[in-house]
């Protein structure tokens, strides 16, 4: 029986697309090789968001080739799209997929008569990612992704619903909707689909009407797409849609936002976050921030910290600006020295810890819906899970098994988790 191995770099969309190919290979009779055994076929799903991501992709390809020089190596993903010629010249590479829309064709070339219309499992995780959309046209000055995924493509709603039915039937209790630009789901439909306008709020309404015990979480969304319509749907189904929004801020300085070519000023971002707090029951608001963007002054950074504290994020993904060749920001003057980037990142991380603890304290005494994920290896009799509000939770193992959705009461707040009974 032929064997295969995969490696995925980058985002949730890449993880979904790897799973799609994995299931196709399994239909063809391939089995996944053990971690310490060579394989006949290797799949490398690459990322190109930074130069370091390119380097990691090349390193993975070379490692697979050393493991089995006779094997086929298929490379896909954003780095393959951006620089297919370099990728194809690496040792052992037999095929480069430069367009993710060709994945069904790839499986057909391997001999699969009918390519999958979606996935049915997501490995050993207890949550599953569902890709609903591809493509981005924002052209932020620091980002290369619109150059490698420029075409907006939303999946048909019935394909998405069928896929979620299969995943819920397979025991997955959290479905994470993801896309390159999730808030643009349905933008490309135009007038092609029958019935009323179909965008992300309408998709959510259809999903929560499916049978089964599960909850839905949105991945990253932009501030301008955090609309009253979307929030109204989330508020109407609190037991099914996680009260958690990851709204990408990047900076709290209007000067920096303009140089980034973001689509709004800080006032608009603040308004949308305030609206979310008004319409939802104590939602978790999380975000991304880039520190050390070219020209960022101490005052600009202070504005970011002030905005973070004002909004009260429960988690901040902090990125030190890294010049990406091929983007406008890489050529901008006034690049920030590395030591200043590290200092600002550390300062923002310290603030984030304070804000997270403050949010956790605000949940004490409340009932939390928790997805149990695994035993705590450090503490016998304790399980670890994630609440609908994206807070890590520690709870007694008597409350349930991994993969179950349970309701607990938040009793104590620690710096990095909530202790529940």
């Amino acid at each position: 029986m032929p064997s295969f191995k995969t490696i995925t770099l980058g985002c949730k969309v890449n993880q979904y697309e790897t799973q799609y190919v994995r299931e196709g290979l399994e239909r063809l009779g391939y089995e996944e090789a053990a971690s310490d055994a060579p394989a006949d076929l290797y799949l490398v799903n690459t990322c190109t968001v930074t130069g370091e991501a390119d380097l990691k992709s090349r390193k993975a390809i070379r490692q697979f080739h050393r493991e089995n020089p006779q094997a086929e190596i298929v490379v896909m993903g954003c780095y393959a799209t951006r620089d297919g010629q370099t990728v194809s010249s690496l040792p052992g590479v037999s095929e480069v997929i430069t367009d993710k829309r060709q994945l069904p064709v790839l499986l057909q070339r391997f001999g699969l008569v009918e390519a999958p219309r979606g996935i049915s499992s997501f490995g050993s995780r207890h949550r599953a990612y569902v890709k609903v959309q591809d493509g981005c046209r924002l052209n932020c000055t620091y980002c290369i992704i619109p150059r490698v995924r420029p075409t907006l493509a939303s999946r048909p709603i019935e394909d998405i619903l069928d896929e979620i039915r299969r995943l819920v039937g397979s025991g997955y209790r959290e479905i994470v909707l993801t896309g390159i630009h999730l808030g643009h789901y349905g933008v490309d439909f135009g007038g092609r689909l029958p019935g009323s306008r179909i965008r992300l709020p309408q998709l959510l309404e259809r999903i929560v009407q499916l049978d089964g015990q599960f909850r839905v979480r949105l991945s990253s969304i932009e501030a301008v797409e955090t609309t009253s319509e979307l929030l109204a749907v989330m508020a109407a189904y609190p037991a099914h849609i996680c009260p958690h929004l990851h709204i990408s801020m990047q900076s709290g300085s209007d000067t920096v936002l303009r140089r980034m070519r973001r689509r709004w000023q800080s006032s608009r971002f603040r308004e949308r976050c305030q609206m979310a707090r008004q319409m939802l029951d104590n939602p978790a608001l999380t975000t991304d921030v880039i520190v050390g963007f070219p020209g960022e002054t101490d005052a600009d950074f202070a504005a970011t910290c002030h905005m973070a504290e004002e909004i009260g994020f429960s988690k901040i993904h902090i990125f030190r600006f890294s010049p990406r060749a091929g983007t406008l920001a890489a050529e901008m003057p006034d690049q920030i020295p590395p030591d200043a980037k590290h200092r600002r990142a550390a300062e923002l991380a310290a603030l984030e810890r304070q804000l997270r603890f403050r949010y956790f304290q605000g949940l004490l005494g409340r009932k939390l819906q928790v997805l149990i994920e695994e035993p705590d290896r450090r503490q016998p009799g304790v399980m670890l899970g994630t609440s609908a509000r994206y807070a890590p939770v520690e709870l007694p193992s008597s409350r349930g098994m991994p993969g179950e959705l349970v309701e607990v009461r938040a009793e104590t707040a620690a710096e990095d988790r909530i202790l529940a009974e």
Side-chain angles (χ1 to χ4, degrees):
M1 184 177 293
S3 61
F4 73 96
K5 278 185 181 179
T6 67
I7 186 169
T8 306
L9 295 100
C11 63
K12 292 179 175 67
V13 171
N14 269 12
Q15 293 179 48
Y16 173 90
E17 289 166 344
T18 296
Q19 179 63 25
Y20 175 85
V21 178
R22 178 185 284 116
E23 290 194 21
L25 293 174
E26 289 171 345
R27 286 192 192 185
L28 285 164
Y30 282 79
E31 64 177 5
E32 195 151 8
S35 59
D36 58 350
D40 302 303
L41 172 66
Y42 294 94
L43 177 76
V44 181
N45 199 346
T46 63
C47 175
T48 196
V49 72
T50 64
E52 184 180 358
D54 291 352
L55 181 63
K56 288 180 179 179
S57 298
R58 293 193 296 269
K59 182 179 178 181
I61 293 167
R62 292 190 174 101
Q63 285 179 334
F64 279 159
H65 180 64
R66 286 195 297 270
E67 186 172 283
N68 184 3
Q70 309 306 315
E72 292 183 80
I73 301 178
V74 175
V75 185
M76 55 192 273
C78 292
Y79 180 41
T81 300
R82 190 184 65 80
D83 196 359
Q85 186 172 356
T86 296
V87 171
S88 64
S89 69
L90 294 172
V93 173
S94 57
E95 188 163 3
V96 179
I97 307 300
T98 60
D99 186 343
K100 293 292 186 69
R101 291 172 294 182
Q102 295 302 309
L103 293 182
V105 177
L106 168 71
L107 293 172
Q108 288 168 352
R109 286 202 297 273
F110 273 92
L112 191 63
V113 175
E114 185 176 351
R117 294 180 62 187
I119 64 174
S120 302
S121 66
F122 213 81
S124 59
R125 297 180 179 90
H126 300 296
R127 63 171 53 82
Y129 301 152
V130 171
K131 174 186 170 183
V132 303
Q133 181 275 344
D134 205 336
C136 180
R137 295 177 181 170
L138 288 192
N139 290 316
C140 300
T141 58
Y142 54 83
C143 186
I144 198 74
I145 298 306
R147 290 183 54 183
V148 295
R149 289 184 184 258
T151 305
L152 296 182
S154 302
R155 291 179 65 194
I157 193 166
E158 293 302 330
D159 286 1
I160 296 169
L161 297 177
D162 287 345
E163 182 170 271
I164 293 174
R165 288 188 190 99
R166 292 194 299 270
L167 290 165
V168 173
S170 297
Y172 295 91
R173 295 295 171 252
E174 181 173 306
I175 303 298
V176 182
L177 301 187
T178 189
I180 298 301
H181 190 144
L182 180 62
H184 271 177
Y185 177 79
V187 167
D188 51 305
F189 286 154
R192 292 189 291 111
L193 293 183
S196 60
R197 170 177 175 268
I198 297 178
R199 295 291 295 276
L200 186 59
Q202 289 74 35
L203 173 63
L204 271 178
E205 281 195 298
R206 292 289 303 276
I207 290 172
V208 297
Q209 293 167 20
L210 296 174
D211 294 332
Q213 186 194 25
F214 71 100
R215 68 190 188 192
V216 184
R217 188 185 301 277
L218 300 179
S219 62
S220 182
I221 193 168
E222 298 288 349
V224 293
E225 289 134 20
T226 308
T227 62
S228 58
E229 184 182 22
L230 175 65
L231 294 170
V233 174
M234 296 179 68
Y237 301 96
H240 292 89
I241 304 174
C242 295
H244 167 219
L245 287 163
H246 186 85
I247 311 174
S248 186
M249 182 174 76
Q250 305 302 2
S251 177
S253 162
D254 288 339
T255 303
V256 174
L257 290 171
R258 282 193 293 271
R259 285 202 298 275
M260 288 179 169
R261 287 191 183 171
R262 300 293 279 167
R263 294 184 297 162
W264 50 83
Q265 293 184 321
S266 59
S267 58
R268 173 73 68 87
F269 187 92
R270 183 187 297 108
E271 288 168 5
R272 294 304 172 97
C273 291
Q274 289 172 343
M275 184 168 64
R277 292 225 181 272
Q278 291 165 0
M279 295 184 66
L280 303 178
D281 177 20
N282 199 10
L285 300 181
T286 62
T287 197
D288 302 314
V289 169
I290 297 174
V291 298
F293 191 79
E296 182 188 62
T297 64
D298 288 341
D300 292 327
F301 177 67
T304 295
C305 293
H306 178 74
M307 177 75 80
E309 187 157 17
E310 182 181 2
I311 292 171
F313 293 117
S314 61
K315 187 173 182 63
I316 304 174
H317 295 282
I318 303 167
F319 302 90
R320 297 188 301 274
F321 174 75
S322 174
R324 185 67 186 94
T327 64
L328 291 174
E331 308 299 326
M332 286 181 176
D334 302 320
Q335 297 284 328
I336 306 301
D339 60 338
K341 295 179 190 177
H342 282 274
R343 185 174 62 252
R344 289 172 183 173
E347 185 176 334
L348 185 58
L351 174 60
E352 186 230 15
R353 289 191 292 272
Q354 296 174 19
L355 297 177
R356 180 175 59 210
F357 183 66
R358 189 181 304 167
Y359 181 71
F360 289 175
Q361 286 183 309
L363 296 177
L364 298 184
R366 296 183 61 113
K367 290 182 179 179
L368 303 178
Q369 184 197 67
V370 176
L371 175 65
I372 303 178
E373 295 176 271
E374 61 181 356
D376 187 339
R377 294 178 177 84
R378 300 174 301 175
Q379 302 180 81
V382 173
M383 288 286 182
L384 301 177
T386 303
S387 73
R389 289 177 169 80
Y390 205 56
V393 176
E394 178 183 301
L395 64 158
S397 56
S398 59
R399 291 295 291 117
M401 298 293 292
E404 294 181 354
L405 280 177
V406 299
E407 194 172 79
V408 298
R409 186 179 301 278
E411 297 288 348
T412 307
E415 184 178 279
D416 64 341
R417 67 185 64 182
I418 288 174
L419 312 182
E421 293 291 343

